Amino acid sequence: MIVTPQTMRFDQPLTLQSGAVLPSYELVYETYGQLNADRSNAVLICHALNASHHVAGLKADANGQAIPRSEGWWDNMIGPGKAVDTDRFFVIGVNNLGSCFGSTGPTHLNPATSQPWGADFPVVTVEDWVDAQARLIDALGIRQLAAVMGGSLGGMQTLSWTLQYPDRVRHAVVIASAPNLNAENIAFNEVARRAIITDPDFNDGHYLRAGTIPRRGLRIARMIGHITYLSDDVMNEKFGRALKPLVDAARTDEAQAIERLAYQYSTQAIEFQIESYLRYQGDKFSEYFDANTYLLITRALDYFDPARRYGGSLSQALARASAKFLLVSFTTDWRFSPARSRELVKALLENRLDVSYAEIDAPHGHDAFLLDDPRYLAAVRTYFERTIATDLKGEAA
Amino acid sequence: MIVTPQTMRFDQPLTLQSGAVLPSYELVYETYGQLNADRSNAVLICHALNASHHVAGLKADANGQAIPRSEGWWDNMIGPGKAVDTDRFFVIGVNNLGSCFGSTGPTHLNPATSQPWGADFPVVTVEDWVDAQARLIDALGIRQLAAVMGGSLGGMQTLSWTLQYPDRVRHAVVIASAPNLNAENIAFNEVARRAIITDPDFNDGHYLRAGTIPRRGLRIARMIGHITYLSDDVMNEKFGRALKPLVDAARTDEAQAIERLAYQYSTQAIEFQIESYLRYQGDKFSEYFDANTYLLITRALDYFDPARRYGGSLSQALARASAKFLLVSFTTDWRFSPARSRELVKALLENRLDVSYAEIDAPHGHDAFLLDDPRYLAAVRTYFERTIATDLKGEAA
């Protein structure tokens, strides 16, 4: 499956939750599969912190040929014959407002100043993203989505769809998510933001004008993030206390890793493999991710809290929903623990909604929602085949 | 109890685990209570990351008067009539090498250059600290300690005492500790260190010469630390998703906190109380703690691993110990979880050593070892009264 992103421009102003107005914006998106005749088989995929519209398939190069190893971030889940089967469903991946992967965001020009928006880009919320996505769905001629689906922050968007546009979502697939962030989640986001904002190269968020990039802060933010994505167990299994191997420079044929047993006794050298892994992840991230986008997206996470307008009652907040739900959580996910998904299940059941819930005993922590756990993929496949597909008009169940 | 720190100078070179030699050094210490005639009632307290020799009592001002609110960090545990009763025991608090509270460390002058040591201060380990402490105990004329006691990193020093000087420790009280750091622990330390080292004001660790202080990095390090000291539950209870209150500037009598319900929609302003708490903790820490000390102490934590020389067998590593042990852990401590204490208990029992173990059901996370949980304080008191005190010669049990 080779895909090319498309861009949709919206010239009608979008009023955000904050009251700010975005005069116009563009959304970048990809689609996989074919929209059926009655436009009833569309599935919208919402992305999490550092992902994009490139959900599945391989990217095309200038000649339309597949770029190797350019698979979308949920390619193990979505594609022909996969759990979300693009032979049957028309799947849409969309990049969110404020992101740095093509949709209008802080690296784009502010039409009022002809300078990059930078820190002046308005704060966007989960609700704002859903409003913007709904216009894309309008423009694609789709009245009702067969499903909205997402993991983590994408699960929050999915939940918000069922509250903002209840009659436009038949099914909501909410994976490794939560009804809001808890204090510890907010705390980790805040430390990451402070690392970015206090980096001298941040220049009050106008680093593009200044010709700098707050790479130090981005590295720290990503290292913190990575620790919270993995479970304690999987970190111990993958890295434990193993020392970073030496590389034998004398071997000219191929770098040869030599197991190292002695400490270097240094506070700055890389001693342990886990340190090497984290620094690598931080370096890589700081090369491609926009710092203002990081601030915006973590803030959207912090702000999401549908129960807030209902005195904290999640049950009341979900009274507007009419979709059917599949929720999935992972036992070792300490960022969005199963207990948070169970809160959602309880509040949905209190509203007498149809809810399926799978709690997967997986070792990988929050990252599990992106990985190939067979029970997890089977649970999603089964839900799509036996529940969502049976709703499709003009198709045998 | 008003206390004044004392300083002991050691001119005999100390060879460190790294092979480096410290030509001379000073240790700052405090003592509480009286050493008995046969010098059998001494208890050594080992400190954790950001603590010091000031364990109990109030500091004295220049006139020998008590400074209000200057209680030692374990004043709830140690003092006349307290769990560790200074009417009965002679308690010693000592500041570790490499620290920034008086004992020789990176802020002191390197005799070879007459400049502050800075990043050139040698890497010190838990074993090095214990060796240095043993010389202090020698100088105080104490052959055998009634007990060594510590929490967290202090517990590691306590454990190491029983292996390095088995015949000099009758009892070891190891609280909220672990036989080594796991990958996640090392990961958090590494992120904190990177935040400090990549702060432009770090100046390769020679910031004192440069006239700068890497405050940004210290703030981030401390914020990360604080998240790991608290349990998820206690964070939710103390802060939850509550917004930071406004202060009514019109009230001239006293600052009046006004509950705030509306978001400010900002990535940089303080929205949530947890953010305010963390920033305050970070700011405070950055005013008094030395950055090189932070690197050294976290590295000492990383390096500690007595089982390492025994192919990972903790049981073999502990074969040298002959002390009796009290271990305490706290159910919500995810930094040094009860499972890590149980590993120690198991390995000690495999060596047929006397072990008492209390797993306290406390909500406060790792911080619990410094707090006033009555069951915890009672467990320590009982052990000191019924077990340690009965060993004292010339005193009725």
Side-chain angles (χ1 to χ4, degrees), chain A residues 181 190 193 198 216 241 261 263 265-266 269 271 275 279 299 302-303 305 308, chain B residues 181 190 193 198 216 241 261 263 265-266 269 271 275 279 299 302-303 308:
Chain A
L181 294 196
E190 171 69 358
R193 280 193 297 265
T198 62
R216 298 181 203 89
R241 296 183 49 83
L261 296 172
Y263 289 153
Y265 293 103
S266 161
E271 282 282 15
E275 296 175 328
R279 289 203 205 176
R299 214 33 151 178
D302 291 355
Y303 281 144
D305 187 12
R308 192 166 153 267
Chain B
L181 293 195
E190 171 69 359
R193 280 192 298 265
T198 63
R216 299 180 202 88
R241 294 183 51 81
L261 296 171
Y263 289 153
Y265 293 104
S266 161
E271 283 283 14
E275 297 175 329
R279 288 202 205 177
R299 215 31 153 180
D302 292 355
Y303 281 145
R308 191 166 155 266

mmCIF file of all heavy atoms in Angstrom, chain A residues 181 190 193 198 216 241 261 263 265-266 269 271 275 279 299 302-303 305 308, chain B residues 181 190 193 198 216 241 261 263 265-266 269 271 275 279 299 302-303 308:
data_model
loop_
_atom_site.group_PDB
_atom_site.id
_atom_site.type_symbol
_atom_site.label_atom_id
_atom_site.label_comp_id
_atom_site.label_asym_id
_atom_site.label_seq_id
_atom_site.Cartn_x
_atom_site.Cartn_y
_atom_site.Cartn_z
ATOM 1 N N LEU A 181 -6.091 13.513 32.455
ATOM 2 C CA LEU A 181 -4.789 13.225 33.058
ATOM 3 C C LEU A 181 -4.893 13.347 34.569
ATOM 4 O O LEU A 181 -5.620 14.195 35.074
ATOM 5 C CB LEU A 181 -3.723 14.214 32.572
ATOM 6 C CG LEU A 181 -3.320 14.203 31.109
ATOM 7 C CD1 LEU A 181 -2.004 14.974 30.941
ATOM 8 C CD2 LEU A 181 -3.164 12.799 30.549
ATOM 9 N N GLU A 190 4.625 18.806 32.637
ATOM 10 C CA GLU A 190 5.138 20.109 33.051
ATOM 11 C C GLU A 190 6.669 20.115 33.084
ATOM 12 O O GLU A 190 7.294 21.083 32.657
ATOM 13 C CB GLU A 190 4.547 20.476 34.423
ATOM 14 C CG GLU A 190 5.151 21.700 35.078
ATOM 15 C CD GLU A 190 4.835 23.021 34.390
ATOM 16 O OE1 GLU A 190 4.162 23.005 33.346
ATOM 17 O OE2 GLU A 190 5.286 24.068 34.894
ATOM 18 N N ARG A 193 7.845 20.383 29.580
ATOM 19 C CA ARG A 193 7.659 21.755 29.061
ATOM 20 C C ARG A 193 8.678 22.713 29.648
ATOM 21 O O ARG A 193 9.234 23.557 28.935
ATOM 22 C CB ARG A 193 6.245 22.257 29.393
ATOM 23 C CG ARG A 193 5.170 21.741 28.470
ATOM 24 C CD ARG A 193 3.855 22.511 28.657
ATOM 25 N NE ARG A 193 3.314 22.337 29.983
ATOM 26 C CZ ARG A 193 2.391 21.420 30.313
ATOM 27 N NH1 ARG A 193 1.913 20.592 29.390
ATOM 28 N NH2 ARG A 193 1.953 21.321 31.540
ATOM 29 N N THR A 198 12.803 26.633 29.286
ATOM 30 C CA THR A 198 13.977 27.251 29.919
ATOM 31 C C THR A 198 15.257 27.006 29.119
ATOM 32 O O THR A 198 16.322 27.485 29.524
ATOM 33 C CB THR A 198 14.167 26.753 31.368
ATOM 34 O OG1 THR A 198 14.401 25.346 31.371
ATOM 35 C CG2 THR A 198 12.944 27.062 32.226
ATOM 36 N N ARG A 216 18.226 20.994 23.351
ATOM 37 C CA ARG A 216 18.486 20.431 24.693
ATOM 38 C C ARG A 216 17.169 20.108 25.383
ATOM 39 O O ARG A 216 16.993 19.036 25.937
ATOM 40 C CB ARG A 216 19.203 21.455 25.567
ATOM 41 C CG ARG A 216 20.547 21.900 25.104
ATOM 42 C CD ARG A 216 21.082 22.912 26.135
ATOM 43 N NE ARG A 216 22.078 23.776 25.559
ATOM 44 C CZ ARG A 216 21.821 24.924 24.944
ATOM 45 N NH1 ARG A 216 20.586 25.368 24.826
ATOM 46 N NH2 ARG A 216 22.804 25.642 24.446
ATOM 47 N N ARG A 241 20.624 -3.704 34.073
ATOM 48 C CA ARG A 241 21.795 -2.918 34.477
ATOM 49 C C ARG A 241 22.955 -3.147 33.524
ATOM 50 O O ARG A 241 24.117 -2.862 33.850
ATOM 51 C CB ARG A 241 22.208 -3.283 35.907
ATOM 52 C CG ARG A 241 21.165 -2.935 36.977
ATOM 53 C CD ARG A 241 21.656 -3.254 38.384
ATOM 54 N NE ARG A 241 22.982 -2.733 38.642
ATOM 55 C CZ ARG A 241 23.244 -1.469 39.023
ATOM 56 N NH1 ARG A 241 22.258 -0.616 39.177
ATOM 57 N NH2 ARG A 241 24.471 -1.082 39.236
ATOM 58 N N LEU A 261 32.471 -5.135 31.368
ATOM 59 C CA LEU A 261 32.096 -5.482 32.734
ATOM 60 C C LEU A 261 32.537 -4.425 33.736
ATOM 61 O O LEU A 261 31.959 -4.311 34.810
ATOM 62 C CB LEU A 261 32.710 -6.838 33.117
ATOM 63 C CG LEU A 261 32.189 -8.022 32.292
ATOM 64 C CD1 LEU A 261 32.985 -9.280 32.589
ATOM 65 C CD2 LEU A 261 30.704 -8.255 32.574
ATOM 66 N N TYR A 263 33.189 -0.688 35.321
ATOM 67 C CA TYR A 263 32.675 0.684 35.296
ATOM 68 C C TYR A 263 33.771 1.636 34.814
ATOM 69 O O TYR A 263 34.954 1.413 35.063
ATOM 70 C CB TYR A 263 32.270 1.120 36.701
ATOM 71 C CG TYR A 263 31.033 0.476 37.281
ATOM 72 C CD1 TYR A 263 30.899 0.355 38.663
ATOM 73 C CD2 TYR A 263 29.989 0.024 36.486
ATOM 74 C CE1 TYR A 263 29.766 -0.194 39.245
ATOM 75 C CE2 TYR A 263 28.848 -0.532 37.067
ATOM 76 C CZ TYR A 263 28.733 -0.643 38.435
ATOM 77 O OH TYR A 263 27.626 -1.187 39.008
ATOM 78 N N TYR A 265 33.564 4.798 35.898
ATOM 79 C CA TYR A 265 33.562 5.784 36.981
ATOM 80 C C TYR A 265 33.550 7.198 36.413
ATOM 81 O O TYR A 265 34.522 7.945 36.503
ATOM 82 C CB TYR A 265 34.729 5.561 37.951
ATOM 83 C CG TYR A 265 34.583 4.270 38.709
ATOM 84 C CD1 TYR A 265 35.321 3.145 38.367
ATOM 85 C CD2 TYR A 265 33.659 4.167 39.743
ATOM 86 C CE1 TYR A 265 35.163 1.937 39.045
ATOM 87 C CE2 TYR A 265 33.498 2.975 40.432
ATOM 88 C CZ TYR A 265 34.249 1.866 40.074
ATOM 89 O OH TYR A 265 34.085 0.681 40.741
ATOM 90 N N SER A 266 32.440 7.538 35.790
ATOM 91 C CA SER A 266 32.256 8.856 35.196
ATOM 92 C C SER A 266 30.809 9.278 35.364
ATOM 93 O O SER A 266 29.901 8.442 35.292
ATOM 94 C CB SER A 266 32.602 8.788 33.702
ATOM 95 O OG SER A 266 32.042 9.892 33.024
ATOM 96 N N ALA A 269 30.043 10.033 31.017
ATOM 97 C CA ALA A 269 30.124 8.986 29.999
ATOM 98 C C ALA A 269 28.881 8.099 30.086
ATOM 99 O O ALA A 269 28.237 8.020 31.130
ATOM 100 C CB ALA A 269 31.383 8.151 30.225
ATOM 101 N N GLU A 271 27.421 4.826 30.747
ATOM 102 C CA GLU A 271 27.809 3.567 31.382
ATOM 103 C C GLU A 271 26.831 2.458 31.013
ATOM 104 O O GLU A 271 27.220 1.361 30.670
ATOM 105 C CB GLU A 271 27.792 3.706 32.906
ATOM 106 C CG GLU A 271 28.986 4.419 33.493
ATOM 107 C CD GLU A 271 30.222 3.526 33.574
ATOM 108 O OE1 GLU A 271 30.262 2.459 32.947
ATOM 109 O OE2 GLU A 271 31.170 3.927 34.260
ATOM 110 N N GLU A 275 20.974 4.275 29.353
ATOM 111 C CA GLU A 275 21.375 5.668 29.103
ATOM 112 C C GLU A 275 21.596 5.903 27.611
ATOM 113 O O GLU A 275 21.188 6.928 27.057
ATOM 114 C CB GLU A 275 22.666 5.983 29.860
ATOM 115 C CG GLU A 275 22.510 5.905 31.371
ATOM 116 C CD GLU A 275 23.828 6.106 32.108
ATOM 117 O OE1 GLU A 275 24.895 5.715 31.568
ATOM 118 O OE2 GLU A 275 23.807 6.636 33.211
ATOM 119 N N ARG A 279 19.443 8.547 25.367
ATOM 120 C CA ARG A 279 20.099 9.660 24.665
ATOM 121 C C ARG A 279 19.829 9.580 23.168
ATOM 122 O O ARG A 279 19.586 10.597 22.509
ATOM 123 C CB ARG A 279 21.620 9.636 24.915
ATOM 124 C CG ARG A 279 21.976 10.031 26.323
ATOM 125 C CD ARG A 279 23.415 10.528 26.386
ATOM 126 N NE ARG A 279 23.961 10.364 27.719
ATOM 127 C CZ ARG A 279 25.218 10.647 28.055
ATOM 128 N NH1 ARG A 279 26.069 11.097 27.154
ATOM 129 N NH2 ARG A 279 25.642 10.469 29.287
ATOM 130 N N ARG A 299 -0.225 20.334 26.423
ATOM 131 C CA ARG A 299 -1.242 21.133 27.085
ATOM 132 C C ARG A 299 -2.650 20.645 26.720
ATOM 133 O O ARG A 299 -3.553 20.653 27.580
ATOM 134 C CB ARG A 299 -1.067 22.599 26.698
ATOM 135 C CG ARG A 299 -1.409 23.608 27.753
ATOM 136 C CD ARG A 299 -1.124 23.181 29.152
ATOM 137 N NE ARG A 299 -0.828 24.318 30.035
ATOM 138 C CZ ARG A 299 -0.574 24.193 31.320
ATOM 139 N NH1 ARG A 299 -0.575 22.994 31.895
ATOM 140 N NH2 ARG A 299 -0.313 25.237 32.053
ATOM 141 N N ASP A 302 -3.295 17.907 29.050
ATOM 142 C CA ASP A 302 -3.598 18.403 30.410
ATOM 143 C C ASP A 302 -5.043 18.899 30.502
ATOM 144 O O ASP A 302 -5.725 18.669 31.506
ATOM 145 C CB ASP A 302 -2.707 19.605 30.763
ATOM 146 C CG ASP A 302 -1.241 19.256 30.945
ATOM 147 O OD1 ASP A 302 -0.889 18.066 30.897
ATOM 148 O OD2 ASP A 302 -0.449 20.201 31.121
ATOM 149 N N TYR A 303 -5.469 19.634 29.470
ATOM 150 C CA TYR A 303 -6.768 20.320 29.549
ATOM 151 C C TYR A 303 -7.954 19.372 29.369
ATOM 152 O O TYR A 303 -9.053 19.656 29.844
ATOM 153 C CB TYR A 303 -6.846 21.426 28.489
ATOM 154 C CG TYR A 303 -6.112 22.701 28.840
ATOM 155 C CD1 TYR A 303 -5.453 23.449 27.870
ATOM 156 C CD2 TYR A 303 -6.087 23.179 30.152
ATOM 157 C CE1 TYR A 303 -4.793 24.632 28.187
ATOM 158 C CE2 TYR A 303 -5.428 24.358 30.475
ATOM 159 C CZ TYR A 303 -4.786 25.085 29.491
ATOM 160 O OH TYR A 303 -4.143 26.253 29.808
ATOM 161 N N ASP A 305 -10.793 17.080 29.838
ATOM 162 C CA ASP A 305 -11.472 16.659 31.064
ATOM 163 C C ASP A 305 -12.982 16.849 30.895
ATOM 164 O O ASP A 305 -13.570 17.782 31.438
ATOM 165 C CB ASP A 305 -10.949 17.501 32.243
ATOM 166 C CG ASP A 305 -11.481 17.019 33.586
ATOM 167 O OD1 ASP A 305 -12.053 15.915 33.641
ATOM 168 O OD2 ASP A 305 -11.313 17.765 34.571
ATOM 169 N N ARG A 308 -15.389 17.908 33.655
ATOM 170 C CA ARG A 308 -15.146 19.176 34.357
ATOM 171 C C ARG A 308 -16.394 20.055 34.403
ATOM 172 O O ARG A 308 -16.684 20.684 35.422
ATOM 173 C CB ARG A 308 -13.998 19.891 33.641
ATOM 174 C CG ARG A 308 -13.430 21.055 34.381
ATOM 175 C CD ARG A 308 -12.098 21.464 33.774
ATOM 176 N NE ARG A 308 -11.859 22.863 34.023
ATOM 177 C CZ ARG A 308 -12.187 23.831 33.206
ATOM 178 N NH1 ARG A 308 -12.744 23.555 32.029
ATOM 179 N NH2 ARG A 308 -11.950 25.088 33.527
ATOM 180 N N LEU B 181 19.952 -0.227 41.786
ATOM 181 C CA LEU B 181 18.929 0.474 40.997
ATOM 182 C C LEU B 181 18.514 -0.395 39.824
ATOM 183 O O LEU B 181 19.344 -1.099 39.239
ATOM 184 C CB LEU B 181 19.469 1.799 40.446
ATOM 185 C CG LEU B 181 19.800 2.921 41.418
ATOM 186 C CD1 LEU B 181 19.948 4.238 40.648
ATOM 187 C CD2 LEU B 181 18.759 3.075 42.514
ATOM 188 N N GLU B 190 19.558 9.535 34.879
ATOM 189 C CA GLU B 190 20.248 9.973 33.671
ATOM 190 C C GLU B 190 19.582 11.216 33.069
ATOM 191 O O GLU B 190 20.267 12.148 32.637
ATOM 192 C CB GLU B 190 20.304 8.833 32.644
ATOM 193 C CG GLU B 190 20.802 9.207 31.261
ATOM 194 C CD GLU B 190 22.284 9.575 31.192
ATOM 195 O OE1 GLU B 190 22.969 9.563 32.237
ATOM 196 O OE2 GLU B 190 22.751 9.887 30.088
ATOM 197 N N ARG B 193 20.585 14.111 35.160
ATOM 198 C CA ARG B 193 21.983 14.501 34.895
ATOM 199 C C ARG B 193 22.119 15.221 33.561
ATOM 200 O O ARG B 193 22.839 16.203 33.450
ATOM 201 C CB ARG B 193 22.893 13.255 34.897
ATOM 202 C CG ARG B 193 23.283 12.783 36.274
ATOM 203 C CD ARG B 193 24.411 11.746 36.196
ATOM 204 N NE ARG B 193 24.016 10.553 35.465
ATOM 205 C CZ ARG B 193 23.539 9.436 36.046
ATOM 206 N NH1 ARG B 193 23.417 9.365 37.348
ATOM 207 N NH2 ARG B 193 23.215 8.403 35.307
ATOM 208 N N THR B 198 23.673 19.579 30.227
ATOM 209 C CA THR B 198 23.435 20.320 28.978
ATOM 210 C C THR B 198 22.977 21.758 29.240
ATOM 211 O O THR B 198 22.760 22.506 28.293
ATOM 212 C CB THR B 198 22.408 19.606 28.065
ATOM 213 O OG1 THR B 198 21.144 19.538 28.731
ATOM 214 C CG2 THR B 198 22.868 18.204 27.715
ATOM 215 N N ARG B 216 18.855 26.114 35.761
ATOM 216 C CA ARG B 216 17.800 25.496 34.938
ATOM 217 C C ARG B 216 17.849 23.979 35.066
ATOM 218 O O ARG B 216 16.842 23.317 35.272
ATOM 219 C CB ARG B 216 18.005 25.812 33.466
ATOM 220 C CG ARG B 216 17.962 27.252 33.086
ATOM 221 C CD ARG B 216 18.199 27.322 31.563
ATOM 222 N NE ARG B 216 18.678 28.621 31.161
ATOM 223 C CZ ARG B 216 19.961 28.979 31.134
ATOM 224 N NH1 ARG B 216 20.917 28.118 31.480
ATOM 225 N NH2 ARG B 216 20.298 30.187 30.755
ATOM 226 N N ARG B 241 -6.410 17.512 39.929
ATOM 227 C CA ARG B 241 -6.423 18.402 38.763
ATOM 228 C C ARG B 241 -6.776 19.836 39.195
ATOM 229 O O ARG B 241 -7.143 20.669 38.361
ATOM 230 C CB ARG B 241 -7.436 17.908 37.732
ATOM 231 C CG ARG B 241 -7.060 16.559 37.108
ATOM 232 C CD ARG B 241 -8.058 16.137 36.041
ATOM 233 N NE ARG B 241 -8.298 17.177 35.067
ATOM 234 C CZ ARG B 241 -7.510 17.442 34.024
ATOM 235 N NH1 ARG B 241 -6.444 16.711 33.805
ATOM 236 N NH2 ARG B 241 -7.814 18.414 33.191
ATOM 237 N N LEU B 261 -11.729 28.425 38.392
ATOM 238 C CA LEU B 261 -12.359 27.319 37.674
ATOM 239 C C LEU B 261 -12.046 27.348 36.182
ATOM 240 O O LEU B 261 -12.107 26.327 35.517
ATOM 241 C CB LEU B 261 -13.886 27.352 37.880
ATOM 242 C CG LEU B 261 -14.320 27.126 39.331
ATOM 243 C CD1 LEU B 261 -15.795 27.397 39.499
ATOM 244 C CD2 LEU B 261 -13.978 25.710 39.779
ATOM 245 N N TYR B 263 -9.837 27.765 32.747
ATOM 246 C CA TYR B 263 -8.477 27.627 32.217
ATOM 247 C C TYR B 263 -7.986 28.970 31.671
ATOM 248 O O TYR B 263 -8.779 29.768 31.165
ATOM 249 C CB TYR B 263 -8.465 26.623 31.062
ATOM 250 C CG TYR B 263 -8.664 25.166 31.434
ATOM 251 C CD1 TYR B 263 -9.221 24.298 30.507
ATOM 252 C CD2 TYR B 263 -8.260 24.646 32.661
ATOM 253 C CE1 TYR B 263 -9.396 22.948 30.785
ATOM 254 C CE2 TYR B 263 -8.427 23.295 32.952
ATOM 255 C CZ TYR B 263 -8.996 22.448 32.011
ATOM 256 O OH TYR B 263 -9.154 21.121 32.277
ATOM 257 N N TYR B 265 -5.712 28.842 29.228
ATOM 258 C CA TYR B 265 -5.299 28.460 27.881
ATOM 259 C C TYR B 265 -3.925 29.026 27.542
ATOM 260 O O TYR B 265 -3.752 29.896 26.708
ATOM 261 C CB TYR B 265 -6.351 28.864 26.841
ATOM 262 C CG TYR B 265 -7.633 28.083 27.012
ATOM 263 C CD1 TYR B 265 -8.752 28.660 27.595
ATOM 264 C CD2 TYR B 265 -7.698 26.743 26.635
ATOM 265 C CE1 TYR B 265 -9.919 27.925 27.781
ATOM 266 C CE2 TYR B 265 -8.853 25.998 26.827
ATOM 267 C CZ TYR B 265 -9.958 26.598 27.401
ATOM 268 O OH TYR B 265 -11.099 25.870 27.589
ATOM 269 N N SER B 266 -2.943 28.497 28.255
ATOM 270 C CA SER B 266 -1.553 28.924 28.076
ATOM 271 C C SER B 266 -0.649 27.727 28.256
ATOM 272 O O SER B 266 -0.908 26.866 29.091
ATOM 273 C CB SER B 266 -1.212 29.993 29.118
ATOM 274 O OG SER B 266 0.198 30.111 29.253
ATOM 275 N N ALA B 269 1.935 29.576 31.433
ATOM 276 C CA ALA B 269 1.410 29.979 32.735
ATOM 277 C C ALA B 269 1.185 28.738 33.599
ATOM 278 O O ALA B 269 1.010 27.636 33.089
ATOM 279 C CB ALA B 269 0.100 30.730 32.556
ATOM 280 N N GLU B 271 -1.118 26.550 35.407
ATOM 281 C CA GLU B 271 -2.557 26.270 35.466
ATOM 282 C C GLU B 271 -2.913 25.447 36.690
ATOM 283 O O GLU B 271 -3.845 25.733 37.404
ATOM 284 C CB GLU B 271 -2.993 25.477 34.230
ATOM 285 C CG GLU B 271 -3.144 26.280 32.958
ATOM 286 C CD GLU B 271 -4.443 27.089 32.927
ATOM 287 O OE1 GLU B 271 -5.094 27.239 33.968
ATOM 288 O OE2 GLU B 271 -4.780 27.581 31.832
ATOM 289 N N GLU B 275 1.729 21.878 39.128
ATOM 290 C CA GLU B 275 2.787 22.621 38.423
ATOM 291 C C GLU B 275 3.435 23.640 39.353
ATOM 292 O O GLU B 275 4.661 23.802 39.373
ATOM 293 C CB GLU B 275 2.207 23.332 37.199
ATOM 294 C CG GLU B 275 1.659 22.379 36.159
ATOM 295 C CD GLU B 275 0.976 23.097 35.010
ATOM 296 O OE1 GLU B 275 0.403 24.192 35.224
ATOM 297 O OE2 GLU B 275 1.014 22.567 33.896
ATOM 298 N N ARG B 279 7.373 23.599 40.433
ATOM 299 C CA ARG B 279 8.253 24.739 40.138
ATOM 300 C C ARG B 279 8.857 25.298 41.417
ATOM 301 O O ARG B 279 10.035 25.650 41.462
ATOM 302 C CB ARG B 279 7.475 25.842 39.404
ATOM 303 C CG ARG B 279 7.137 25.463 37.979
ATOM 304 C CD ARG B 279 6.882 26.707 37.147
ATOM 305 N NE ARG B 279 6.018 26.406 36.016
ATOM 306 C CZ ARG B 279 5.590 27.316 35.158
ATOM 307 N NH1 ARG B 279 5.927 28.590 35.291
ATOM 308 N NH2 ARG B 279 4.808 26.969 34.150
ATOM 309 N N ARG B 299 25.224 9.158 40.566
ATOM 310 C CA ARG B 299 26.081 8.116 40.009
ATOM 311 C C ARG B 299 26.418 7.058 41.050
ATOM 312 O O ARG B 299 26.506 5.863 40.723
ATOM 313 C CB ARG B 299 27.347 8.751 39.458
ATOM 314 C CG ARG B 299 27.929 8.123 38.226
ATOM 315 C CD ARG B 299 26.954 7.501 37.302
ATOM 316 N NE ARG B 299 27.437 7.497 35.923
ATOM 317 C CZ ARG B 299 26.769 6.995 34.906
ATOM 318 N NH1 ARG B 299 25.561 6.463 35.092
ATOM 319 N NH2 ARG B 299 27.250 7.018 33.698
ATOM 320 N N ASP B 302 23.598 4.764 40.991
ATOM 321 C CA ASP B 302 23.648 3.882 39.808
ATOM 322 C C ASP B 302 24.637 2.741 39.998
ATOM 323 O O ASP B 302 24.382 1.600 39.611
ATOM 324 C CB ASP B 302 24.113 4.651 38.560
ATOM 325 C CG ASP B 302 23.123 5.688 38.073
ATOM 326 O OD1 ASP B 302 22.012 5.774 38.624
ATOM 327 O OD2 ASP B 302 23.476 6.424 37.123
ATOM 328 N N TYR B 303 25.814 3.085 40.558
ATOM 329 C CA TYR B 303 26.910 2.119 40.606
ATOM 330 C C TYR B 303 26.711 1.042 41.677
ATOM 331 O O TYR B 303 27.243 -0.052 41.552
ATOM 332 C CB TYR B 303 28.244 2.832 40.859
ATOM 333 C CG TYR B 303 28.846 3.496 39.630
ATOM 334 C CD1 TYR B 303 29.558 4.691 39.723
ATOM 335 C CD2 TYR B 303 28.731 2.907 38.378
ATOM 336 C CE1 TYR B 303 30.128 5.288 38.615
ATOM 337 C CE2 TYR B 303 29.299 3.504 37.256
ATOM 338 C CZ TYR B 303 29.997 4.693 37.380
ATOM 339 O OH TYR B 303 30.554 5.274 36.273
ATOM 340 N N ARG B 308 27.169 -7.649 41.928
ATOM 341 C CA ARG B 308 27.838 -7.590 40.629
ATOM 342 C C ARG B 308 29.092 -8.469 40.577
ATOM 343 O O ARG B 308 29.351 -9.140 39.579
ATOM 344 C CB ARG B 308 28.199 -6.122 40.364
ATOM 345 C CG ARG B 308 28.657 -5.816 38.992
ATOM 346 C CD ARG B 308 28.638 -4.314 38.768
ATOM 347 N NE ARG B 308 29.591 -3.972 37.743
ATOM 348 C CZ ARG B 308 30.834 -3.598 37.986
ATOM 349 N NH1 ARG B 308 31.266 -3.496 39.238
ATOM 350 N NH2 ARG B 308 31.647 -3.343 36.985
#
